[in-house]
Amino acid sequence: MSGPTLTPAQQLPGRHDANNIRGVIRRLLLPFGLAFLALAPVARAAISQTPAITDTRYSSYLRAVRPSAPGVHWRVIHADGGLELVLGAGRTVQWNVIDLNDEIRVINHSGETVTVYGYSQSDRNVAYDGGKYAQILANGTVQLNENSPAYYENQSFYETAVVVPPSAGATAAPDWVTFAKTGTLYWHDHRIHYTTPVIPTFIKNRGVQHRQFVFNWYVPIAVGSTDGYLYGALYWNGEKPFAFPIAAIVAFVLIVVAGAAFVVFVRRRRRPVAPEDTF
């Protein structure tokens, strides 16, 4: 018993079917496009304020956070020295050092505006005359001040090839630009790392193979109207003495010799044999 006969138009996909397929593809791609647009501000902030390199010879540790106000507590929550500030039930500001000595992360769920100050010219450990560099508003809006010299200086790990425009200065009126609304800011801070690739003389004198204290560091901040700071320490991790990899070289030579012998063996097996003479 034969089934229904299909017309040529039913047997082959036509323009209507192609339009349906394109419509399905568009519907599938739409969520991915929206997700990309939603993440774009976060990506911009991360790229512009976190250089692509870091100096893994050092490690920076966050030791304490101020303000220390009633109802505000901090504790170590990560091996890299991150701390968590708890402002009431479920209201937190979290600070972490990321990538050994490269970045600082702040997550603001405190209901207060958190401010990070730029670089000071003062000799004091904590000074706020560098002007406001970044802020996370109470509603989670992340903003950077494009009139802060730190905005430009933080785009390079060693502050090389950095051009700070004349309009930027510690006393210039802030030009706040919104980068995200996630309540989270990552930024590179020159105060928490050594600002040259040259190994300091005092480290060489003590021996580069030894782990050593380098310096204490401070980053001025404010939570709401209360000024404070991050306090930490930078350490030299210690370089392992160079050991000539004799075992690895011997293993490599053995592999090369074995490979060459295998090639010769295969070629001999494939060599044609001369036919015997016939009489």
Side-chain angles (χ1 to χ4, degrees):
M1 184 174 179
S2 61
T5 303
L6 299 178
T7 64
Q10 293 172 316
Q11 293 174 356
L12 298 175
R15 181 178 301 174
H16 178 70
D17 298 303
N19 289 336
N20 287 339
I21 294 173
R22 283 194 290 269
V24 171
I25 293 174
R26 281 195 296 268
R27 286 193 294 273
L28 290 175
L29 292 179
L30 180 60
F32 294 99
L34 294 176
F36 176 79
L37 292 176
L39 292 174
V42 180
R44 179 187 174 193
I47 292 173
S48 65
Q49 299 304 155
T50 54
I53 66 170
T54 188
D55 193 337
T56 58
R57 298 173 300 175
Y58 298 87
S59 290
S60 209
Y61 297 91
L62 184 57
R63 299 301 193 195
V65 180
R66 299 292 183 267
S68 178
V72 179
H73 309 280
W74 62 269
R75 57 177 177 169
V76 176
I77 57 174
H78 288 299
D80 62 7
L83 288 95
E84 179 181 23
L85 276 174
V86 182
L87 286 77
R91 297 161 64 90
T92 64
V93 182
Q94 297 176 10
W95 305 86
N96 302 87
V97 175
I98 309 297
D99 292 342
L100 297 180
N101 61 88
D102 185 4
E103 308 164 10
I104 299 176
R105 179 183 68 183
V106 55
I107 304 174
N108 182 21
H109 295 156
S110 68
E112 301 275 0
T113 294
V114 173
T115 305
V116 179
Y117 288 86
Y119 304 120
S120 170
Q121 300 301 316
S122 171
D123 293 332
R124 297 177 57 190
N125 289 333
V126 183
Y128 303 89
D129 59 352
K132 295 181 177 180
Y133 158 64
Q135 63 182 14
I136 304 180
L137 304 182
N139 63 2
T141 299
V142 180
Q143 295 182 321
L144 298 180
N145 176 16
E146 291 193 348
N147 273 348
S148 170
Y151 173 82
Y152 303 93
E153 294 165 349
N154 289 351
Q155 297 178 27
S156 169
F157 190 88
Y158 292 119
E159 296 185 73
T160 55
V162 173
V163 178
V164 178
S167 59
T171 59
D175 179 14
W176 294 113
V177 178
T178 297
F179 282 83
K181 295 186 177 181
T182 59
T184 301
L185 168 67
Y186 291 81
W187 84 95
H188 178 77
D189 200 297
H190 297 302
R191 288 166 288 212
I192 73 169
H193 75 96
Y194 209 74
T195 54
T196 172
V198 178
I199 300 176
T201 302
F202 68 87
I203 290 181
K204 293 180 180 178
N205 291 340
R206 297 172 188 169
V208 296
Q209 72 275 16
H210 301 299
R211 177 177 170 81
Q212 305 178 38
F213 169 79
V214 181
F215 57 67
N216 292 318
W217 53 260
Y218 298 83
V219 176
I221 63 168
V223 178
S225 59
T226 304
D227 289 338
Y229 57 87
L230 309 181
Y231 163 72
L234 181 70
Y235 284 84
W236 170 263
N237 292 326
E239 291 184 345
K240 294 181 179 180
F242 177 76
F244 199 73
I246 298 178
I249 294 176
V250 171
F252 176 75
V253 172
L254 291 176
I255 292 174
V256 171
V257 172
F262 178 76
V263 171
V264 172
F265 173 77
V266 171
R267 287 182 176 178
R268 288 182 176 178
R269 291 289 300 271
R270 292 180 178 179
R271 183 177 298 170
V273 180
E276 297 180 359
D277 295 335
T278 55
F279 297 95

